[in-house]
Coordinates of all heavy atoms in Angstrom, one line a residue:
V703 N -9.4 -18.1 -2.7 CA -8.6 -16.9 -2.8 C -7.5 -17.0 -1.8 O -7.7 -17.3 -0.6 CB -9.5 -15.7 -2.5 CG1 -8.6 -14.4 -2.4 CG2 -10.5 -15.5 -3.5
K704 N -6.3 -16.9 -2.3 CA -5.1 -17.0 -1.4 C -4.8 -15.6 -0.8 O -4.7 -14.6 -1.5 CB -4.0 -17.5 -2.2 CG -2.7 -17.7 -1.5 CD -1.6 -18.2 -2.4 CE -0.3 -18.3 -1.6 NZ 0.8 -18.7 -2.5
A705 N -4.5 -15.6 0.5 CA -4.1 -14.3 1.1 C -2.6 -14.1 0.8 O -1.8 -15.0 0.8 CB -4.3 -14.4 2.6
A706 N -2.3 -12.8 0.7 CA -0.9 -12.4 0.4 C -0.5 -11.3 1.5 O -1.3 -10.4 1.7 CB -0.7 -11.8 -1.0
T707 N 0.6 -11.5 2.1 CA 1.1 -10.6 3.1 C 2.5 -10.1 2.7 O 3.3 -10.8 2.3 CB 1.2 -11.2 4.5 OG1 -0.1 -11.7 4.9 CG2 1.8 -10.3 5.5
F708 N 2.6 -8.7 2.7 CA 3.9 -8.1 2.3 C 4.4 -7.4 3.5 O 3.7 -6.6 4.1 CB 3.6 -7.1 1.2 CG 2.9 -7.7 0.0 CD1 1.5 -7.7 -0.1 CD2 3.6 -8.2 -1.0 CE1 0.8 -8.2 -1.1 CE2 2.9 -8.8 -2.1 CZ 1.6 -8.8 -2.2
N709 N 5.7 -7.6 3.9 CA 6.3 -6.9 5.0 C 7.3 -6.0 4.4 O 8.3 -6.4 3.7 CB 7.0 -7.9 5.9 CG 6.0 -8.8 6.6 OD1 5.1 -8.4 7.2 ND2 6.2 -10.1 6.5
V710 N 7.0 -4.7 4.5 CA 7.7 -3.6 3.8 C 8.6 -2.8 4.7 O 8.2 -2.5 5.8 CB 6.7 -2.7 3.1 CG1 7.3 -1.6 2.4 CG2 5.9 -3.6 2.1
T711 N 9.8 -2.4 4.2 CA 10.7 -1.6 5.0 C 11.1 -0.3 4.4 O 11.9 0.5 5.0 CB 12.0 -2.4 5.4 OG1 12.6 -2.8 4.2 CG2 11.6 -3.6 6.3
D712 N 10.7 -0.1 3.1 CA 11.1 1.1 2.4 C 10.1 1.5 1.3 O 9.2 0.8 1.0 CB 12.5 1.0 1.8 CG 12.6 -0.1 0.7 OD1 11.6 -0.4 0.1 OD2 13.8 -0.5 0.5
S713 N 10.3 2.7 0.8 CA 9.3 3.3 -0.1 C 9.1 2.5 -1.4 O 8.0 2.2 -1.9 CB 9.6 4.7 -0.5 OG 9.6 5.6 0.7
A714 N 10.3 2.0 -2.0 CA 10.2 1.2 -3.2 C 9.5 -0.1 -2.9 O 8.7 -0.6 -3.8 CB 11.6 0.9 -3.7
G715 N 9.7 -0.7 -1.8 CA 9.0 -1.9 -1.4 C 7.5 -1.7 -1.2 O 6.7 -2.6 -1.6
F716 N 7.1 -0.6 -0.7 CA 5.7 -0.2 -0.5 C 5.0 -0.2 -1.9 O 4.0 -0.8 -2.1 CB 5.6 1.0 0.3 CG 4.1 1.4 0.6 CD1 3.2 0.4 0.9 CD2 3.8 2.7 0.6 CE1 1.9 0.8 1.2 CE2 2.5 3.1 1.0 CZ 1.5 2.1 1.3
Q717 N 5.6 0.6 -2.8 CA 4.9 0.6 -4.2 C 4.9 -0.7 -4.8 O 4.0 -1.1 -5.5 CB 5.6 1.7 -5.1 CG 4.9 1.9 -6.4 CD 3.4 2.3 -6.2 OE1 3.1 3.3 -5.7 NE2 2.5 1.4 -6.7
A718 N 6.0 -1.5 -4.7 CA 6.0 -2.8 -5.3 C 4.9 -3.7 -4.7 O 4.2 -4.4 -5.4 CB 7.4 -3.5 -5.1
A719 N 4.7 -3.6 -3.4 CA 3.6 -4.4 -2.7 C 2.3 -3.9 -3.2 O 1.4 -4.8 -3.5 CB 3.7 -4.3 -1.2
L720 N 2.1 -2.6 -3.4 CA 0.8 -2.1 -3.9 C 0.5 -2.6 -5.3 O -0.6 -3.0 -5.6 CB 0.8 -0.6 -3.9 CG 0.7 0.1 -2.5 CD1 1.1 1.6 -2.6 CD2 -0.6 -0.1 -1.8
T721 N 1.6 -2.6 -6.1 CA 1.4 -3.0 -7.5 C 1.1 -4.5 -7.6 O 0.2 -4.9 -8.3 CB 2.7 -2.7 -8.3 OG1 2.9 -1.3 -8.3 CG2 2.6 -3.1 -9.8
T722 N 1.8 -5.3 -6.8 CA 1.5 -6.7 -6.8 C 0.1 -7.0 -6.3 O -0.7 -7.8 -6.8 CB 2.5 -7.5 -6.0 OG1 3.8 -7.3 -6.5 CG2 2.3 -9.0 -5.9
A723 N -0.3 -6.3 -5.2 CA -1.6 -6.5 -4.6 C -2.7 -6.2 -5.5 O -3.8 -6.8 -5.5 CB -1.7 -5.7 -3.3
Q724 N -2.5 -5.2 -6.4 CA -3.6 -4.8 -7.2 C -3.9 -5.8 -8.4 O -5.0 -5.8 -9.0 CB -3.4 -3.4 -7.8 CG -2.4 -3.3 -8.9 CD -2.0 -1.8 -9.3 OE1 -2.4 -0.9 -8.6 NE2 -1.3 -1.7 -10.4
D725 N -2.9 -6.7 -8.6 CA -3.1 -7.6 -9.7 C -3.3 -9.1 -9.3 O -3.4 -9.9 -10.1 CB -1.8 -7.6 -10.6 CG -1.7 -6.2 -11.3 OD1 -2.7 -5.6 -11.6 OD2 -0.5 -5.8 -11.4
N726 N -3.3 -9.4 -8.0 CA -3.2 -10.8 -7.6 C -4.6 -11.4 -7.2 O -4.6 -12.6 -6.8 CB -2.1 -11.1 -6.6 CG -2.5 -10.5 -5.2 OD1 -3.5 -9.9 -5.0 ND2 -1.5 -10.6 -4.3
D727 N -5.7 -10.7 -7.2 CA -7.0 -11.2 -6.9 C -7.0 -12.0 -5.5 O -7.4 -13.1 -5.4 CB -7.5 -12.2 -8.0 CG -9.0 -12.5 -7.9 OD1 -9.7 -11.7 -7.2 OD2 -9.4 -13.5 -8.4
S728 N -6.4 -11.3 -4.5 CA -6.3 -11.9 -3.2 C -6.7 -11.0 -2.1 O -6.9 -9.8 -2.3 CB -4.8 -12.3 -2.9 OG -4.4 -13.4 -3.8
T729 N -6.8 -11.5 -0.9 CA -6.9 -10.7 0.3 C -5.5 -10.3 0.7 O -4.7 -11.2 1.0 CB -7.6 -11.5 1.4 OG1 -8.9 -11.9 1.0 CG2 -7.7 -10.7 2.7
N730 N -5.2 -9.0 0.6 CA -3.8 -8.5 0.8 C -3.6 -7.7 2.0 O -4.5 -6.9 2.4 CB -3.4 -7.7 -0.4 CG -3.4 -8.4 -1.7 OD1 -2.5 -9.2 -2.0 ND2 -4.5 -8.2 -2.5
T731 N -2.5 -7.9 2.7 CA -2.1 -7.1 3.8 C -0.7 -6.6 3.6 O 0.2 -7.4 3.3 CB -2.2 -7.9 5.1 OG1 -3.5 -8.4 5.3 CG2 -1.8 -7.1 6.3
I732 N -0.5 -5.3 3.8 CA 0.8 -4.7 3.7 C 1.1 -4.2 5.1 O 0.4 -3.4 5.6 CB 0.8 -3.6 2.7 CG1 0.5 -4.1 1.3 CG2 2.2 -2.9 2.7 CD1 0.4 -3.0 0.2
N733 N 2.2 -4.8 5.6 CA 2.7 -4.3 7.0 C 3.9 -3.4 6.7 O 4.9 -3.8 6.1 CB 3.1 -5.6 7.8 CG 2.0 -6.5 8.0 OD1 0.9 -6.1 8.4 ND2 2.2 -7.8 7.8
L734 N 3.7 -2.2 7.2 CA 4.8 -1.2 7.1 C 5.6 -1.1 8.4 O 5.1 -0.9 9.5 CB 4.2 0.2 6.8 CG 3.4 0.4 5.6 CD1 2.8 1.8 5.5 CD2 4.2 0.1 4.3
A735 N 6.9 -1.4 8.3 CA 7.8 -1.2 9.4 C 7.9 0.3 9.8 O 7.5 1.2 9.0 CB 9.2 -1.7 9.1
Q736 N 8.3 0.6 11.0 CA 8.4 2.0 11.4 C 9.3 2.7 10.4 O 10.3 2.2 9.9 CB 9.1 2.1 12.8 CG 8.2 1.6 13.9 CD 8.8 1.9 15.3 OE1 9.1 3.0 15.6 NE2 9.0 0.9 16.0
G737 N 8.9 4.0 10.1 CA 9.7 4.8 9.2 C 8.8 5.7 8.4 O 7.6 5.8 8.6
T738 N 9.4 6.4 7.5 CA 8.7 7.4 6.7 C 8.8 6.8 5.2 O 9.8 6.5 4.7 CB 9.3 8.8 6.7 OG1 9.2 9.2 8.1 CG2 8.6 9.7 5.8
Y739 N 7.6 6.7 4.6 CA 7.4 6.2 3.3 C 7.1 7.4 2.4 O 6.0 8.0 2.5 CB 6.4 5.1 3.2 CG 6.8 3.9 4.0 CD1 6.6 3.9 5.4 CD2 7.5 2.9 3.5 CE1 7.1 2.9 6.2 CE2 7.9 1.8 4.2 CZ 7.7 1.8 5.6 OH 8.2 0.7 6.4
E740 N 8.0 7.8 1.5 CA 7.9 9.0 0.7 C 7.3 8.6 -0.6 O 7.9 7.9 -1.4 CB 9.3 9.7 0.5 CG 9.2 10.9 -0.4 CD 8.5 12.1 0.3 OE1 8.6 12.3 1.5 OE2 7.8 12.8 -0.4
G741 N 6.1 9.2 -0.9 CA 5.3 8.9 -2.1 C 5.6 10.0 -3.2 O 6.5 10.7 -3.1
P742 N 4.7 10.0 -4.1 CA 3.3 9.5 -4.1 C 3.3 8.0 -4.4 O 4.1 7.5 -5.2 CB 2.6 10.3 -5.2 CG 3.7 10.7 -6.1 CD 4.9 10.8 -5.3
F743 N 2.3 7.3 -3.9 CA 2.0 5.9 -4.1 C 0.6 5.8 -4.8 O -0.3 6.6 -4.5 CB 2.0 5.1 -2.8 CG 3.3 5.2 -2.1 CD1 3.5 6.1 -1.0 CD2 4.4 4.5 -2.5 CE1 4.7 6.2 -0.3 CE2 5.6 4.6 -1.8 CZ 5.8 5.4 -0.7
T744 N 0.4 4.8 -5.6 CA -0.8 4.5 -6.2 C -1.2 3.1 -6.1 O -0.4 2.2 -6.3 CB -0.7 4.9 -7.7 OG1 -0.3 6.3 -7.8 CG2 -2.1 4.7 -8.4
Y745 N -2.5 2.8 -5.9 CA -3.1 1.5 -5.9 C -4.4 1.6 -6.7 O -5.2 2.5 -6.4 CB -3.4 1.0 -4.4 CG -4.2 -0.3 -4.4 CD1 -3.5 -1.5 -4.5 CD2 -5.5 -0.3 -4.2 CE1 -4.2 -2.7 -4.4 CE2 -6.3 -1.5 -4.1 CZ -5.6 -2.7 -4.2 OH -6.3 -3.8 -4.2
T746 N -4.6 0.7 -7.7 CA -5.8 0.7 -8.4 C -6.4 -0.6 -8.2 O -5.9 -1.7 -8.7 CB -5.5 1.0 -9.9 OG1 -4.8 2.2 -10.1 CG2 -6.8 1.0 -10.7
A747 N -7.6 -0.6 -7.6 CA -8.3 -1.9 -7.3 C -8.9 -2.4 -8.6 O -9.3 -1.6 -9.5 CB -9.5 -1.6 -6.3
N748 N -8.8 -3.7 -8.8 CA -9.4 -4.3 -10.0 C -10.8 -4.7 -9.7 O -11.1 -5.7 -9.1 CB -8.5 -5.5 -10.4 CG -8.9 -6.1 -11.7 OD1 -10.1 -5.9 -12.2 ND2 -8.0 -6.8 -12.3
S749 N -11.7 -3.8 -10.2 CA -13.1 -4.0 -9.9 C -13.7 -5.2 -10.5 O -14.8 -5.7 -10.1 CB -13.9 -2.7 -10.3 OG -13.8 -2.5 -11.6
G750 N -13.1 -5.8 -11.5 CA -13.6 -7.0 -12.2 C -13.3 -8.3 -11.4 O -13.8 -9.3 -11.8
K751 N -12.5 -8.2 -10.4 CA -12.2 -9.4 -9.6 C -12.9 -9.4 -8.3 O -13.1 -8.4 -7.7 CB -10.7 -9.4 -9.3 CG -9.8 -9.6 -10.6 CD -8.4 -9.7 -10.2 CE -7.5 -9.9 -11.5 NZ -6.1 -10.0 -11.2
T752 N -13.4 -10.6 -7.9 CA -14.0 -10.8 -6.6 C -12.9 -11.2 -5.6 O -12.0 -11.9 -6.0 CB -15.1 -11.8 -6.7 OG1 -14.6 -13.0 -7.1 CG2 -16.2 -11.3 -7.6
G753 N -13.0 -10.9 -4.4 CA -12.1 -11.3 -3.4 C -10.9 -10.4 -3.2 O -10.1 -10.6 -2.3
D754 N -10.8 -9.3 -4.0 CA -9.8 -8.4 -3.8 C -10.0 -7.5 -2.6 O -11.1 -7.0 -2.4 CB -9.8 -7.4 -5.0 CG -8.6 -7.5 -5.9 OD1 -7.7 -8.4 -5.6 OD2 -8.5 -6.8 -6.9
S755 N -9.0 -7.4 -1.7 CA -9.1 -6.5 -0.6 C -7.7 -6.1 -0.2 O -6.7 -6.8 -0.5 CB -9.9 -7.1 0.6 OG -9.1 -8.1 1.2
L756 N -7.6 -5.0 0.5 CA -6.3 -4.5 0.9 C -6.4 -3.9 2.2 O -7.2 -3.0 2.5 CB -5.8 -3.4 -0.1 CG -4.5 -2.7 0.2 CD1 -3.3 -3.7 0.2 CD2 -4.2 -1.6 -0.8
T757 N -5.5 -4.3 3.1 CA -5.3 -3.7 4.4 C -3.9 -3.2 4.5 O -2.9 -4.0 4.2 CB -5.6 -4.7 5.6 OG1 -6.9 -5.2 5.4 CG2 -5.4 -4.1 6.9
I758 N -3.7 -2.0 5.0 CA -2.3 -1.5 5.2 C -2.2 -1.2 6.7 O -3.0 -0.4 7.2 CB -2.1 -0.2 4.4 CG1 -2.3 -0.5 2.9 CG2 -0.7 0.4 4.7 CD1 -2.3 0.8 2.0
T759 N -1.2 -1.7 7.3 CA -1.0 -1.6 8.7 C 0.4 -1.1 9.0 O 1.4 -1.6 8.5 CB -1.2 -3.0 9.5 OG1 -2.5 -3.5 9.1 CG2 -1.1 -2.8 11.0
G760 N 0.5 0.0 9.8 CA 1.8 0.5 10.2 C 2.2 -0.1 11.5 O 1.4 -0.4 12.4
E761 N 3.5 -0.4 11.7 CA 4.0 -1.0 12.9 C 3.8 -0.1 14.1 O 3.5 -0.6 15.2 CB 5.5 -1.2 12.7 CG 6.2 -1.9 13.9 CD 7.7 -2.1 13.7 OE1 8.2 -2.0 12.6 OE2 8.3 -2.5 14.7
S762 N 3.8 1.2 13.9 CA 3.6 2.1 15.0 C 2.8 3.3 14.6 O 3.1 3.9 13.6 CB 5.0 2.6 15.5 OG 4.8 3.7 16.4
K763 N 1.8 3.7 15.4 CA 0.9 4.8 15.0 C 1.7 6.1 15.2 O 1.2 7.2 14.7 CB -0.4 4.8 15.7 CG -0.3 5.0 17.2 CD -1.7 4.9 17.8 CE -1.7 5.1 19.3 NZ -3.0 5.0 19.9
T764 N 2.7 6.1 15.9 CA 3.5 7.4 16.2 C 4.8 7.4 15.4 O 5.4 8.5 15.3 CB 3.8 7.5 17.7 OG1 4.6 6.4 18.1 CG2 2.5 7.7 18.5
N765 N 5.2 6.3 14.7 CA 6.5 6.3 14.0 C 6.4 5.7 12.6 O 7.5 5.3 12.1 CB 7.6 5.6 14.8 CG 7.9 6.3 16.1 OD1 8.1 7.5 16.0 ND2 8.0 5.7 17.2
T766 N 5.2 5.6 12.0 CA 5.1 5.1 10.7 C 4.3 6.2 9.9 O 3.2 6.5 10.3 CB 4.4 3.8 10.6 OG1 5.1 2.8 11.5 CG2 4.4 3.2 9.2
F767 N 4.9 6.7 8.8 CA 4.3 7.8 8.1 C 4.3 7.5 6.6 O 5.3 7.0 6.1 CB 5.1 9.1 8.3 CG 5.2 9.4 9.8 CD1 6.4 9.1 10.5 CD2 4.2 10.0 10.5 CE1 6.5 9.4 11.8 CE2 4.3 10.3 11.8 CZ 5.5 10.0 12.5
I768 N 3.2 7.9 5.9 CA 3.2 7.9 4.5 C 3.0 9.4 4.1 O 2.1 10.0 4.4 CB 2.0 7.1 3.9 CG1 2.1 5.6 4.4 CG2 1.9 7.2 2.4 CD1 0.8 4.8 4.1
T769 N 4.0 9.9 3.3 CA 4.1 11.3 3.0 C 4.3 11.5 1.5 O 4.8 10.6 0.8 CB 5.2 12.0 3.8 OG1 6.4 11.6 3.4 CG2 5.0 11.9 5.3
N770 N 4.1 12.7 1.1 CA 4.5 13.2 -0.2 C 4.9 14.7 -0.1 O 4.0 15.5 -0.1 CB 3.4 13.0 -1.3 CG 3.8 13.5 -2.6 OD1 4.9 13.8 -2.9 ND2 2.8 13.6 -3.5
L771 N 6.1 14.9 0.0 CA 6.6 16.3 0.2 C 7.1 16.9 -1.1 O 7.4 18.1 -1.1 CB 7.8 16.3 1.2 CG 7.5 15.7 2.5 CD1 8.8 15.6 3.3 CD2 6.5 16.4 3.3
T772 N 7.0 16.2 -2.2 CA 7.6 16.7 -3.5 C 6.6 17.4 -4.4 O 7.0 18.2 -5.2 CB 8.2 15.6 -4.3 OG1 7.2 14.6 -4.6 CG2 9.4 14.9 -3.6
N773 N 5.3 17.1 -4.3 CA 4.3 17.8 -5.1 C 2.9 17.8 -4.4 O 2.8 17.4 -3.3 CB 4.2 17.2 -6.5 CG 3.8 15.8 -6.5 OD1 2.9 15.4 -5.8 ND2 4.5 15.0 -7.3
S774 N 1.9 18.3 -5.1 CA 0.6 18.4 -4.5 C -0.2 17.2 -4.6 O -1.4 17.2 -4.2 CB -0.1 19.6 -5.1 OG -0.3 19.4 -6.5
S775 N 0.3 16.1 -5.2 CA -0.5 14.9 -5.3 C -0.7 14.2 -3.9 O 0.1 14.5 -3.0 CB 0.3 13.8 -6.1 OG 0.5 14.3 -7.4
P776 N -1.7 13.4 -3.8 CA -1.9 12.7 -2.5 C -0.7 11.8 -2.2 O -0.1 11.3 -3.1 CB -3.2 11.9 -2.7 CG -3.9 12.5 -3.9 CD -2.8 13.1 -4.7
A777 N -0.4 11.6 -0.9 CA 0.6 10.6 -0.6 C 0.3 9.2 -1.0 O 1.2 8.5 -1.5 CB 0.9 10.7 0.9
L778 N -1.0 8.8 -0.9 CA -1.4 7.5 -1.3 C -2.8 7.7 -2.0 O -3.7 8.2 -1.4 CB -1.6 6.6 -0.1 CG -2.3 5.2 -0.4 CD1 -1.5 4.4 -1.4 CD2 -2.4 4.4 0.9
E779 N -2.8 7.4 -3.3 CA -4.0 7.5 -4.1 C -4.6 6.1 -4.4 O -3.9 5.2 -4.9 CB -3.8 8.2 -5.4 CG -5.0 8.4 -6.2 CD -4.8 9.3 -7.4 OE1 -3.7 9.9 -7.5 OE2 -5.7 9.3 -8.3
I780 N -5.8 5.8 -4.0 CA -6.5 4.6 -4.2 C -7.6 4.8 -5.2 O -8.5 5.6 -5.0 CB -7.0 4.0 -2.9 CG1 -5.9 3.7 -1.9 CG2 -7.8 2.7 -3.2 CD1 -6.3 3.3 -0.6
N781 N -7.5 4.1 -6.3 CA -8.5 4.3 -7.4 C -9.3 3.0 -7.6 O -8.8 1.9 -7.4 CB -7.7 4.5 -8.8 CG -6.9 5.8 -8.7 OD1 -7.4 6.8 -8.4 ND2 -5.6 5.7 -8.9
G782 N -10.5 3.2 -8.0 CA -11.4 2.1 -8.4 C -12.0 1.3 -7.3 O -12.6 0.3 -7.5
A783 N -11.8 1.7 -6.1 CA -12.4 1.0 -4.9 C -13.8 1.3 -4.8 O -14.3 2.4 -5.1 CB -11.7 1.4 -3.6
T784 N -14.6 0.3 -4.4 CA -16.0 0.4 -4.2 C -16.4 0.1 -2.8 O -15.7 -0.6 -2.1 CB -16.9 -0.4 -5.2 OG1 -16.5 -1.8 -5.0 CG2 -16.6 0.1 -6.6

């Protein structure tokens, strides 16, 4: 299993990394640069694949935010994880 690392600087890049990570059967890490990431975002784990994992790390615990100010959906929804 090949590890994949995504270095993200904006909301579009974050969703693109989540989408790629859900399909690549790898150990995935998404590194978020400081900033605000406006969702909603969705990640659906592929339960049929072994070796799938996802770690999301913010550059700063005081200056990296995942939010959804537009509706009542979660800012980040993770489906299918066990």
Side-chain angles (χ1 to χ4, degrees):
V703 174
K704 182 180 174 185
T707 300
F708 306 91
N709 296 307
V710 175
T711 59
D712 62 25
S713 296
F716 184 36
Q717 184 59 64
L720 289 167
T721 301
T722 300
Q724 73 188 13
D725 295 327
N726 70 0
D727 194 23
S728 293
T729 300
N730 298 285
T731 301
I732 299 175
N733 298 314
L734 299 175
Q736 288 187 60
T738 299
Y739 296 82
E740 179 68 37
F743 301 102
T744 303
Y745 172 85
T746 301
N748 189 335
S749 60
K751 294 182 178 181
T752 58
D754 249 359
S755 70
L756 175 65
T757 301
I758 301 170
T759 304
E761 181 178 351
S762 167
K763 67 181 179 180
T764 58
N765 292 314
T766 306
F767 306 98
I768 300 171
T769 65
N770 180 9
L771 302 175
T772 59
N773 61 44
S774 61
S775 299
L778 172 59
E779 184 173 347
I780 300 175
N781 299 304
T784 56

